Amino acid sequence: MEKRYKGCLFGLAVGDALGAPVEFLTLPQIKRKYGGGGIKDFDSWGGFPAGTYTDDTQMSLATAAGCIGAWKRGMEKGIWHPPSFVNLKYLEWLETQSDPRQVRAPGNTCLSALRSGKMGTVDEPVNNSKGCGGVMRTAPAGLAFPPGQAFEQGAAFAAITHGHPSGYLPAGVLAELIAHLVRGIDLEKAAGLSLIPLRGAKGYQETMDCLEKAKELAQSSLAAPQAIEKIGEGWVGEEALGISLYCSLKFRNDWAGGVLASVNHSGDSDSTGSITGAILGTLLGLEAIPVTGCRELRTPLT
Ligand SMILES: [Mg+2]
């Protein structure tokens, strides 16, 4: 289980750093720059050295830190409201954004929602955004909470900044998926189980349709780039999770194959790389990730 925990966190950071250089490139542009096989290794981006992760990892680490705070205070003082602790960590992250070294292409929705001073919830949405900034940071919720709770908390963490159901429900599904995977459930079964709490949630259909399509495509013989194109570009929550679920199912024994497929497309490559890296990292464990460290993770996690 420890290897799965580390695989999740390390996997999301490495997938994010792999996708960062191509986040704003179309697939033809990626091929022109890196060759027909697309990007295969870390590269510099935005003035940062190769292997630098983006806001996706910064915010995922904030989610993880918030969960740890929530458990500590819950045990010590009997205060139990994880989203409040996670929100505090997101606000701490917001403060780091005045330091240019920490500005890693953050999402405007996250910035504006946090700056508004209002903490969004599922019942009181802060906006109507369904950007993928909610789902790209909630994998750690699946490490902190068991199945059932993971869905609810993951959705609540995303709803802090993203008020559209397709902005926060995929985050609930991702957390639920991770919670099953970390307990050793196989991917196919975990993917099915993680859709159970989704069914019936307000506005769930769009997310459900996208994830069902991703599962079907993973069983087809269509090549990955064409299949991903059918799901979308991943700028919105349900598509980012759909692409990541597709790549994970298609490359379920191959962390690098799945993550490279998930970054070589014409969309939000760092977010799909990060989510896929988390899913396959949890499924396959830390040793499945074939790199020794991205720049900020020099300390080996083993
Ligand atoms: Mg990013």
Side-chain angles (χ1 to χ4, degrees), residues 164-270:
H164 190 287
S166 300
Y168 61 77
L169 291 175
V173 175
L174 175 64
E176 188 78 2
L177 178 63
I178 298 290
H180 285 293
L181 292 177
V182 83
R183 285 164 176 76
I185 309 285
D186 76 69
L187 181 58
E188 194 94 56
K189 190 169 177 204
L193 289 171
S194 66
L195 293 182
I196 294 173
L198 174 66
R199 197 174 295 280
K202 191 177 141 228
Y204 79 99
Q205 198 64 50
E206 189 170 55
T207 297
M208 183 68 86
D209 290 348
C210 187
L211 298 179
E212 292 291 0
K213 188 200 276 182
K215 285 166 71 180
E216 273 169 35
L217 284 165
Q219 292 192 351
S220 79
S221 56
L222 202 61
Q226 283 76 45
I228 290 172
E229 213 167 276
K230 283 186 182 291
I231 300 169
E233 296 194 336
W235 301 107
V236 290
E238 79 279 13
E239 289 179 10
L241 184 59
I243 291 170
S244 304
L245 181 62
Y246 163 81
C247 292
S248 300
L249 285 164
K250 192 81 182 171
F251 296 87
R252 63 186 68 188
N253 298 311
D254 178 4
W255 188 92
V259 172
L260 290 176
S262 79
V263 302
N264 281 296
H265 65 94
S266 300
D268 195 351
S269 299
D270 60 328

Side-chain angles (χ1 to χ4, degrees), residues 16 23 54-56 104-105 136 268 270-271:
D16 177 17
E23 179 182 5
T54 81
D55 61 320
D56 299 45
R104 313 277 177 85
M136 61 72 165
D268 195 351
D270 60 328
S271 297

Side-chain angles (χ1 to χ4, degrees), residues 68-115:
I68 293 168
W71 277 107
K72 272 193 185 159
R73 291 300 290 271
M75 306 250 205
E76 285 163 12
K77 310 230 166 165
I79 301 165
W80 185 245
H81 193 254
S84 296
F85 291 92
V86 170
N87 184 50
L88 278 178
K89 293 294 169 187
Y90 291 164
L91 292 172
E92 284 178 23
W93 167 81
L94 180 65
E95 279 181 34
T96 68
Q97 297 304 292
S98 58
D99 176 354
R101 289 167 304 174
Q102 296 302 324
V103 178
R104 313 277 177 85
N108 282 328
T109 303
C110 289
L111 292 173
S112 61
L114 293 172
R115 279 182 190 138

